[in-house]
């Protein structure tokens, strides 16, 4: 989704801006642009498509400005083309914007009535005209304050000014924005990834704040223009390794990394010697929690659904799950003894953040499970459990899904043990089983060649289905989501037992159906449902576990057998083939696997 970079320095900044925009490519975008100030002029270059294309259009020898802003845009208002790409500029200001200005139509009407001419279809352009107008009668700070007061919606902004050639103004409401500090230069970025290659010292703007960034000095203000002091935070590492290594795509690398990321996560939470789980600084007494609500979007929501089954299996806690975009607008009944858990890889998903904010405003107990520990969701929840899986660049979430499930499982195990709902023997047995997971996942990755050879059937079909029950149900949903987001073929995840209530009508000769049926307590029932779809012509790919026991069903098209583990850990293993299936299906079609069309890594608009 949209990303912002700003740099004010004593040397030309265009090359560094382009490099930072590259770091933001993972977010998903459809156009890019840059503007710098040189010799009293705003020099703007934009292009549709990738940063690579933008770079080709820039004459860096002549774009010598030492103050500049850059942007990657994910279209909301107006088609993705060069005109709608950011920055948007007048003769005196240039603006980049993440978010949505909800009252742009009214603002535009007023501005047009006093003679302003608009070039693009974007909501952002009103900011350019508004600030240009305000600067005619007010000084810089007053103009900013007056402009911010008129804007409705959510935004992060970076603005440069012809008449103030030494500074960038940043402002935040809803969408995140950070300031970075470097030697003789300072930066603005929509997230810490954008800044990590230049600095590890950053401050975050809070909602309503704005800032004036000069090369040796940064000032922060609240929404009344009162000066603020901001903490300078140190990022965990100066430059993380985002390379693809020998892989063609980040997604392939991230799937194959899972044995290591699971191992790393287990190392963080499990005391190997005592076979115990360490969750430090949990801020509440265990008996003060009698129910749990888990909230997320997309893949993160699927990990919440998985957690519901584990909570019900291991404890007597009441549990609800919710899609963040629904939760935030519903009339919720808030309960003091409820723990609200927010699950998000990026920690910046607008809907999940809004749901967290509502819970915080109602003084609820909030915890988050995130990958990016500097993110807004991590910073604003009472308690954070990181998933420790390293940067996930591919838009399709893979290792973060496994990481989210893993941390949720670990948390549930610990809580159930503290609540005395599982005894010490079972607790230790489950911890020991968990420690075997990296090796089992490693072995399951070896099913790859089979998946590769059958993936074509899924891309040629007009659609497919993924079925599962119990622990396998959320993996069925995840399998369908992965396949459709990468291969652009319709796929539906369904509880196997629900097929006869409607979707069975979709089954016809040759339609591929993935049946997830490890030999757990749901196995026999799922196999019966499998027979029902086979009888109607479906080509079934059965994903089960290795066993000497025969499968009582004829005409199974293909079978993949994962390793053996305890019933509640099968979800980790059966996830591997469905991830690989989506990857190879997209590869067959030649699509942009790491950046599927219309999607973004970090969904910062609602
Ligand atoms: O960063 P988050 O985990 O909050 O993102 C939530 C969803 O946008 C994300 O999981 C999305 O569904 C993925 N593209 C799925 O692969």
């Amino acid at each position: 989704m949209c990303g912002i970079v700003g740099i004010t320095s004593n040397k030309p900044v265009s090359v560094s801006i382009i490099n930072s925009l590259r770091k933001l490519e993972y977010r998903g975008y459809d156009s890019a642009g840059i503007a710098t100030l040189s010799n009293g002029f705003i020099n703007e270059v934009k292009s549709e498509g990738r940063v690579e294309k933008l770079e080709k259009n820039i004459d860096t020898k002549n774009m010598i400005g030492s103050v500049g802003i850059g942007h990657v845009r994910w279209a909301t208002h107006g088609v993705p083309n060069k005109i709608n790409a950011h920055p948007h500029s007048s003769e005196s200001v240039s603006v980049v914007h993440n978010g949505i200005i909800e009252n742009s139509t009214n603002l535009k009407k007023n501005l047009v009535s006093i003679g302003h001419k608009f070039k693009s279809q974007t909501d952002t352009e009103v900011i350019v005209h508004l600030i240009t107008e305000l600067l005619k009668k007010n000084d810089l700070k007053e103009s900013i304050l007056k402009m911010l007061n008129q804007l409705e919606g959510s935004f992060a902004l970076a603005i440069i000014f012809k008449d103030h050639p030494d500074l960038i103004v940043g402002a935040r409401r809803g969408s995140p924005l950070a300031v970075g500090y470097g030697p003789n230069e300072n930066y603005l970025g929509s997230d810490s990834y954008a800044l990590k290659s230049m600095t590890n010292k950053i401050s975050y703007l809070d909602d309503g704040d704005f800032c004036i960034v000069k090369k040796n000095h940064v000032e922060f203000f609240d929404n009344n223009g009162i000066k603020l002091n901001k903490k300078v935070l140190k990022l965990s590492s100066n430059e993380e390794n985002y390379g693809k290594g020998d892989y063609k795509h980040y997604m392939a690398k991230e799937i194959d990394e899972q044995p290591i990321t699971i191992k790393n996560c287990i190392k963080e939470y499990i005391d190997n010697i005592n076979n115990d789980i360490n969750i430090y600084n949990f801020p509440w007494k265990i008996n003060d929690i009698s129910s749990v609500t888990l909230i997320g979007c997309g893949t993160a929501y699927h990990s919440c659904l998985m957690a519901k089954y584990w909570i019900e299996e291991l404890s007597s806690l009441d549990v609800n799950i919710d899609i963040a975009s629904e939760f935030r607008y519903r009339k919720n009944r808030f309960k003091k003894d409820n723990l609200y858990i927010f699950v998000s890889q990026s920690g910046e998903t607008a809907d999940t953040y809004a749901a967290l904010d509502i819970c915080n405003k109602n003084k609820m107990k909030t915890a988050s499970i995130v990958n990016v520990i500097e993110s807004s969701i991590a910073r604003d929840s009472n308690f954070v459990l990181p998933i420790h899986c390293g940067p996930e660049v591919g838009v399709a979430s893979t290792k973060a899904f496994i990481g989210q499930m893993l941390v949720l499982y670990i948390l549930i195990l610990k809580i159930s043990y503290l609540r005395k709902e599982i005894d010490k023997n079972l607790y230790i047995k489950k911890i020991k089983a968990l420690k075997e997971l990296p090796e089992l996942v490693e072995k399951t990755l070896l099913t790859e060649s089979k998946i590769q050879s059958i993936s074509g059937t899924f891309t040629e079909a007009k659609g497919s289905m993924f079925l599962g029950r119990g622990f396998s149900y959320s993996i069925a949903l995840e399998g369908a989501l992965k396949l459709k987001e990468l291969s652009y073929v319709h796929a539906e995840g369904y509880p196997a037992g629900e097929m006869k209530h409607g979707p069975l009508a979709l089954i016809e000769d040759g339609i591929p159906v993935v049946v997830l049926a490890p030999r757990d307590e749901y196995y026999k029932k799922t196999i019966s449902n499998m027979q029902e779809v086979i009888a109607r012509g479906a080509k079934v790919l059965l994903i089960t576990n290795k066993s000497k026991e025969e499968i009582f069903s004829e005409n199974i098209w293909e079978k993949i057998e994962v390793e053996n583990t305890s019933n509640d850990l099968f979800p980790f293993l059966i996830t591997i083939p469905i991830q690989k299936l989506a990857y190879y299906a997209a590869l067959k079609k030649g699509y942009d696997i790491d950046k599927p069309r219309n999607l973004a890594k970090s969904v910062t608009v609602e």
Side-chain angles (χ1 to χ4, degrees):
M1 207 140 272
C2 303
I4 288 176
V5 183
I7 305 179
T8 160
S9 178
N10 54 8
K11 53 182 196 276
V13 291
S14 60
V15 173
S16 304
I17 291 178
I18 292 288
N19 288 339
S20 294
L21 288 180
R22 266 204 204 98
K23 305 274 178 214
L24 289 172
E25 286 193 285
Y26 77 95
R27 294 167 76 106
Y29 67 101
D30 37 53
S31 56
I34 174 171
T36 60
L37 281 168
S38 41
N39 301 326
F41 287 102
I42 292 169
N43 189 352
E44 178 197 277
V45 184
K46 316 200 271 195
S47 70
E48 195 187 329
R50 300 277 176 234
V51 173
E52 208 185 337
K53 188 167 166 201
L54 173 73
E55 195 180 9
K56 283 189 187 137
N57 294 336
I58 295 176
D59 175 2
T60 43
K61 280 201 196 96
N62 288 323
M63 203 168 196
I64 50 165
S66 56
V67 170
I69 50 180
H71 192 259
V72 284
R73 172 177 188 253
W74 185 82
T76 56
H77 288 55
V79 294
N81 62 17
K82 186 174 166 181
I83 295 177
N84 290 334
H86 298 207
H88 291 280
S89 311
S90 65
E91 264 183 27
S92 50
V93 303
S94 184
V95 176
V96 290
H97 163 220
N98 289 358
I100 295 174
I101 305 301
E102 285 169 359
N103 59 339
S104 62
T105 312
N106 283 345
L107 290 172
K108 185 172 173 178
K109 224 186 266 168
N110 296 341
L111 288 158
V112 167
S113 73
I114 55 169
H116 286 262
K117 293 204 164 46
F118 283 70
K119 292 179 259 183
S120 75
Q121 302 160 303
T122 65
D123 52 338
T124 305
E125 202 182 339
V126 295
I127 303 171
V128 177
H129 294 277
L130 192 57
I131 190 84
T132 304
E133 192 60 33
L134 288 162
L135 281 166
K136 289 179 187 164
K137 294 185 193 133
N138 303 282
D139 69 16
L140 179 74
K141 201 175 142 196
E142 276 165 7
S143 303
I144 299 295
L145 272 169
K146 285 186 176 162
M147 172 201 66
L148 294 176
N149 271 333
Q150 291 186 53
L151 299 182
E152 287 170 19
S154 71
F155 50 81
L157 302 173
I159 314 175
I160 53 174
F161 304 83
K162 177 175 146 264
D163 295 334
H164 302 275
D166 59 337
L167 60 85
I168 310 174
V169 166
R172 172 193 173 163
R173 194 191 297 156
S175 302
L177 193 66
V179 167
Y181 307 91
N184 285 323
E185 54 184 33
N186 288 316
Y187 321 100
L188 269 172
S190 45
D191 67 26
S192 55
Y193 284 170
L195 305 178
K196 262 184 174 165
S197 59
M198 301 182 285
T199 182
N200 65 349
K201 283 190 273 166
I202 62 167
S203 300
Y204 287 100
L205 275 81
D206 289 312
D207 248 8
D209 293 352
F210 71 96
C211 61
I212 297 178
V213 183
K214 296 186 179 173
K215 68 174 189 267
N216 288 317
H217 184 60
V218 184
E219 285 181 304
F220 294 91
F221 303 91
D222 70 9
N223 56 354
N224 294 312
I226 312 282
K227 247 185 169 183
L228 299 166
N229 286 323
K230 288 275 170 191
K231 264 200 240 155
V232 178
L233 309 169
K234 214 164 167 223
L235 293 176
S236 39
S237 75
N238 203 25
E239 170 71 296
E240 297 210 40
N241 176 19
Y242 298 121
K244 279 195 276 225
D246 292 337
Y247 287 87
K248 226 169 147 186
H249 301 103
Y250 280 105
M251 185 187 178
K253 177 172 178 259
E254 287 159 4
I255 293 174
D256 283 0
E257 270 171 4
Q258 292 176 119
I260 300 167
T261 58
I262 295 173
K263 207 182 240 169
N264 290 344
C265 186
I266 287 178
K267 212 159 62 192
E268 293 292 332
Y269 291 105
I270 291 184
D271 170 351
N272 237 332
I273 299 167
N274 298 312
N275 282 316
D276 196 2
I277 291 170
N278 292 326
I279 290 184
Y280 296 113
N281 304 321
F282 191 70
W284 307 285
K285 286 192 193 115
I286 215 69
N287 291 331
D288 291 346
I289 296 168
S290 67
S291 58
V292 178
T293 302
L294 296 129
I295 298 167
C297 301
T299 289
Y301 171 74
H302 296 157
S303 67
C304 297
L305 176 60
M306 189 69 245
K308 179 179 164 74
Y309 282 84
W310 284 327
I311 293 174
E312 286 171 352
E313 178 79 10
L314 297 171
S315 83
S316 63
L317 286 166
D318 284 335
V319 51
N320 286 304
I321 53 168
D322 226 316
I323 290 173
S325 55
E326 289 296 313
F327 179 89
R328 65 181 291 192
Y329 291 116
R330 268 216 323 273
K331 289 204 171 81
N332 294 294
R333 314 276 183 271
F334 290 107
K335 278 170 48 198
K336 281 269 165 254
D337 56 353
N338 190 73
L339 173 62
Y340 292 85
I341 302 179
F342 299 86
V343 183
S344 173
Q345 187 284 132
S346 61
E348 300 295 353
T349 300
D351 285 319
T352 312
Y353 183 81
L356 164 68
D357 194 43
I358 291 166
C359 291
N360 280 340
K361 285 188 175 131
N362 281 281
K363 304 210 170 356
M364 293 294 108
K365 299 178 175 71
T366 58
S368 60
I369 292 180
V370 297
N371 193 26
V372 183
I373 49 172
E374 299 95 4
S375 61
S376 307
I377 290 175
R379 280 181 287 120
D380 289 351
S381 41
N382 303 151
F383 183 59
V384 188
L385 289 164
I387 62 172
H388 299 289
C389 77
E392 187 182 68
V393 179
V395 164
S397 193
T398 52
K399 62 177 181 172
F401 177 58
I402 290 280
Q404 289 159 359
M405 290 201 296
L406 186 57
V407 172
L408 282 163
Y409 185 80
I410 289 171
L411 177 67
I412 293 162
L413 215 52
K414 181 76 182 188
I415 291 181
S416 308
Y417 177 59
L418 293 176
R419 284 169 57 88
K420 301 192 176 35
E421 297 189 295
I422 53 174
D423 65 22
K424 190 149 190 183
N425 284 342
L426 185 59
Y427 179 61
I428 291 180
K429 196 172 152 201
K430 287 195 176 291
I431 290 173
K432 284 188 177 162
L434 252 186
K435 291 200 286 190
E436 287 169 10
L437 208 50
E439 205 188 315
L440 299 179
V441 170
E442 182 101 58
K443 286 187 179 153
T444 307
L445 283 165
L446 301 175
T447 55
E448 172 157 20
S449 56
K450 175 81 149 287
I451 290 281
Q452 186 174 6
S453 67
I454 60 177
S455 58
T457 302
F458 287 81
T459 54
E460 284 150 23
K462 63 179 178 193
S464 60
M465 300 212 64
F466 288 69
L467 307 180
R469 280 176 180 253
F471 296 131
S472 303
Y473 168 43
S474 67
I475 311 303
L477 295 183
E478 177 61 6
L481 176 64
K482 285 286 93 87
L483 189 65
K484 60 190 155 200
E485 76 173 324
L486 291 167
S487 69
Y488 317 152
V489 174
H490 182 68
E492 207 168 325
Y494 233 79
E498 268 288 293
M499 285 296 284
K500 54 191 170 295
H501 299 290
L504 207 52
L506 293 171
I507 302 298
E508 58 186 33
D509 242 12
I511 187 164
V513 176
V514 179
V515 176
L516 300 164
R519 288 168 168 82
D520 57 14
E521 55 268 46
Y522 306 94
Y523 174 69
K524 285 191 180 139
K525 298 283 171 204
T526 314
I527 293 296
S528 301
N529 301 134
M530 177 181 80
Q531 278 157 342
E532 287 158 12
V533 294
I534 290 177
R536 285 157 183 87
K539 264 180 139 174
V540 164
L541 164 62
L542 172 66
I543 301 180
T544 184
N545 58 307
K546 290 182 176 158
S547 169
K548 287 192 186 113
E549 232 180 81
E550 219 184 307
I551 297 166
F552 294 106
S553 181
E554 286 176 357
N555 300 327
I556 295 170
W557 169 54
E558 289 289 353
K559 189 172 70 180
I560 298 232
E561 290 176 321
V562 302
E563 298 300 309
N564 281 303
T565 182
S566 60
N567 288 355
D568 49 2
L569 295 186
F570 275 128
F572 292 96
L573 303 186
I574 60 173
T575 296
I576 306 299
I578 59 105
Q579 292 174 336
K580 289 273 182 191
L581 177 63
Y583 175 76
Y584 281 112
L587 193 67
K588 279 236 153 74
K589 286 203 152 180
Y591 292 153
D592 192 346
I593 292 184
D594 288 328
K595 300 185 196 90
R597 71 180 181 201
N598 305 336
L599 299 181
K601 184 69 184 159
S602 191
V603 186
T604 48
V605 294
E606 67 166 298

